[in-house]
Amino acid sequence: MLVIPAIDLKGGEVVRLAQGDPLRQTSYSSDPIAVAKRWEDEGAPILHLVDLDGAFSGSPRQLAVAADVAKAVKIPVQLGGGLRSLTALEQAFASGIERVVLGTAAIEDETFLIAACRRYPGRVVLGIDARDGKVAIRGWAEDTRLHATELAARSADLPLAAIIYTDIRRDGMLTGPNVEALQRVAQASRHPLIASGGIATLDDVKRMAALEPSRIIGVLIGKALYEGSFSLREAIAAAT
């Protein structure tokens, strides 16, 4: 199973938000490139960047920083947050980003998601962020009536690279992953699934690696790494 470190960017800094709340922010570094190189040195197979400013504003705000990170490391970088037009995707790919993560725009405008997948097959990741099973959008600030499982199912025929499922209530809380919700989404989807939210211990990592169905191929880890609960090398070892 892939262990993917998350780098959340806000104001040019590496931060974490508790349950996506901008008022509950912890800053970990003012040097995103140094953080990215650290994770690369520790064996990260890919880096997951989130432009939090973009997610809240609706258009990319940290693309220059993300581009600098992509140039500084040899491993692939995927980026989400505020990517809500084909022009934004073109700019992201031109800057060296390998894969883009689409959330709000993909949910509000299914034709955009289809167009993005057709233009960039295998390079688009669908981000499904859910609170109590219902999809949330606009930086998690707005809830919808759409069930996460429904969104996963209706995207089954698109040439997505993967789906990232984030349980908002677990994100940044170190309370353990929502395994039941994750498995429901995995069963509803045909795509590889990456889990996000709540990883707190190496036992959590081992548990995720042992889950069925086998299409659960990765896990994003943020706060546990930044708080030193375990190292990235230890997490990678636990996932194998």
Side-chain angles (χ1 to χ4, degrees), residues 7 20 42 50 65 88 93 134 154 160 170 196 199 236:
I7 300 177
E42 290 193 21
V50 180
V65 177
F93 288 129
K134 300 287 185 66
R154 79 183 192 190
L160 295 169
R170 305 293 180 104
S196 174
I199 296 293
I236 293 171

Side-chain angles (χ1 to χ4, degrees), residues 130 132-133 148-149 165 167 178-187 193:
D132 300 327
T149 51
Y165 176 75
D167 187 290
N178 187 338
V179 173
E180 294 76 14
L182 175 66
Q183 287 181 307
R184 286 195 294 270
V185 173
Q187 289 165 359
L193 191 69

Side-chain angles (χ1 to χ4, degrees), residues 124-161:
V124 174
V125 177
L126 176 61
I128 300 180
D129 306 323
R131 184 183 287 110
D132 300 327
K134 300 287 185 66
V135 175
I137 57 175
R138 301 187 182 280
W140 303 353
E142 183 179 329
D143 293 330
T144 72
R145 296 181 179 181
L146 179 65
H147 285 274
T149 51
E150 179 184 350
L151 178 57
R154 79 183 192 190
S155 306
D157 294 329
L158 296 177
L160 295 169

Side-chain angles (χ1 to χ4, degrees), residues 78-90:
Q78 65 186 27
L79 173 69
L83 300 173
R84 301 179 188 175
S85 70
L86 291 176
T87 298
L89 301 192
E90 182 179 354

Side-chain angles (χ1 to χ4, degrees), residues 10 17-25 56 139:
K10 194 169 187 292
L17 306 182
Q19 298 180 327
D21 186 348
L23 299 179
R24 300 162 67 191
Q25 173 181 311
F56 290 122

Side-chain angles (χ1 to χ4, degrees), residues 35-54:
V35 172
K37 287 184 174 180
R38 173 189 172 187
W39 299 143
E40 181 182 39
D41 290 344
E42 290 193 21
I46 185 172
L47 296 177
H48 177 77
L49 272 60
V50 180
D51 178 353
L52 291 174
D53 295 310

